[in-house]
Amino acid sequence: NAGVTQTPKFRILKIGQSMTLQCTQDMNHNYMYWYRQDPGMGLKLIYYSVGAGITDKGEVPNGYNVSRSTTEDFPLRLELAAPSQTSVYFCASSYGEGTGGKGELFFGEGSRLTVL
Amino acid sequence: GENVEQHPSTLSVQEGDSAVIKCTYSDSASNYFPWYKQELGKRPQLIIDIRSNVGEKKDQRIAVTLNKTAKHFSLHITETQPEDSAVYFCAASSGGGKLIFGQGTELSVKP
């Protein structure tokens, strides 16, 4: 199992450009998430999905869009990139909710995005 | 919506001492409280979690306590070791998939 795979690992964008961060998981997880982590800060939830065809806004959704057409894939689109979107982006997935590991989020390695 | 506050933001202890990190949450419907550890340059990983029908849970040197009335929960690490140095995050969820994290605590264990 590859787990959660994110691409690209690094990207530099110019202000106003658009791009898509790709995320795929091979664990047949229903739940998928996108978080951003600014330097020295916590993880802020951008969007999440509890299954194919279902997406919901998190804490900081402005400037981003997502889709979930398959169980495996959960791409994050940045439209009109701004310097405030400079961050490390983490995709994660889980079976669902509950203790004993059932609610455990499995994170990708992260994608470092810089907007200049 | 849910808001999770975490304290302290930094914590320095001597090897062998105990470390305690505290979190408060705002949504009384929250019922799932995990803790994640993130080593420098790596992805977060789950270390322990607890549901609201349990007051305390232990796993070797780590334990989590939950006070539903006060809406706070804490992580306790005993006999700290240098390899415990990392950033620790608490989180809370009221179900439906939305998991909100605290701001993180940078723990430094000095040999």
Side-chain angles (χ1 to χ4, degrees), chain A residues 33 35 37 97 105 107 109, chain B residues 36 38 43 51 96-97 99:
Chain A
Y33 305 80
Y35 289 91
Q37 185 174 33
E97 292 163 338
L105 264 62
F107 285 85
E109 291 184 305
Chain B
Y36 284 78
Q38 185 179 29
R43 69 192 90 183
R51 286 199 75 91
L99 185 66

Side-chain angles (χ1 to χ4, degrees), chain A residues 76-99:
Chain A
L76 177 72
R77 178 133 183 106
L78 282 72
E79 304 283 0
L80 299 174
S84 60
Q85 292 179 304
T86 294
S87 191
V88 177
Y89 291 83
F90 284 99
C91 179
S93 70
S94 78
Y95 282 110
E97 292 163 338
T99 57

Side-chain angles (χ1 to χ4, degrees), chain B residues 2 12 14 24 33 41-42 52-53 56 75 77 81 84 88 93 100 106-107:
Chain B
E2 176 67 278
S12 181
Q14 287 295 131
T24 59
F33 308 93
K42 297 196 174 178
S52 58
N53 58 349
E56 183 175 359
L75 178 71
I77 306 174
Q81 300 166 4
D84 293 330
Y88 292 80
S93 172
I100 302 300
E106 184 175 1
L107 174 64

Side-chain angles (χ1 to χ4, degrees), chain A residues 25 27-32 49-52 68 71 93-96:
Chain A
Q25 52 93 7
M27 296 174 282
N28 202 31
H29 286 168
N30 284 324
Y31 288 24
M32 295 190 74
S49 168
V50 298
R68 184 95 182 270
T71 299
S93 70
S94 78
Y95 282 110

Side-chain angles (χ1 to χ4, degrees), chain A residues 10-103:
Chain A
F10 302 93
R11 182 74 186 268
I12 297 175
L13 280 181
K14 292 183 179 178
I15 294 172
Q17 287 185 319
S18 300
M19 74 160 296
T20 299
L21 296 174
Q22 302 290 346
C23 177
T24 187
Q25 52 93 7
D26 61 359
M27 296 174 282
N28 202 31
H29 286 168
N30 284 324
Y31 288 24
M32 295 190 74
Y33 305 80
W34 275 105
Y35 289 91
R36 60 176 285 174
Q37 185 174 33
D38 297 336
M41 302 292 285
L43 297 154
K44 290 291 187 184
L45 181 63
I46 305 171
Y47 272 95
Y48 65 105
S49 168
V50 298
I54 305 169
T55 61
D56 266 306
K57 294 179 181 179
E59 302 170 274
V60 289
N62 291 347
Y64 306 93
N65 277 302
V66 294
S67 60
R68 184 95 182 270
S69 56
T70 67
T71 299
E72 296 78 18
D73 300 307
F74 191 42
L76 177 72
R77 178 133 183 106
L78 282 72
E79 304 283 0
L80 299 174
S84 60
Q85 292 179 304
T86 294
S87 191
V88 177
Y89 291 83
F90 284 99
C91 179
S93 70
S94 78
Y95 282 110
E97 292 163 338
T99 57
K102 291 182 184 139

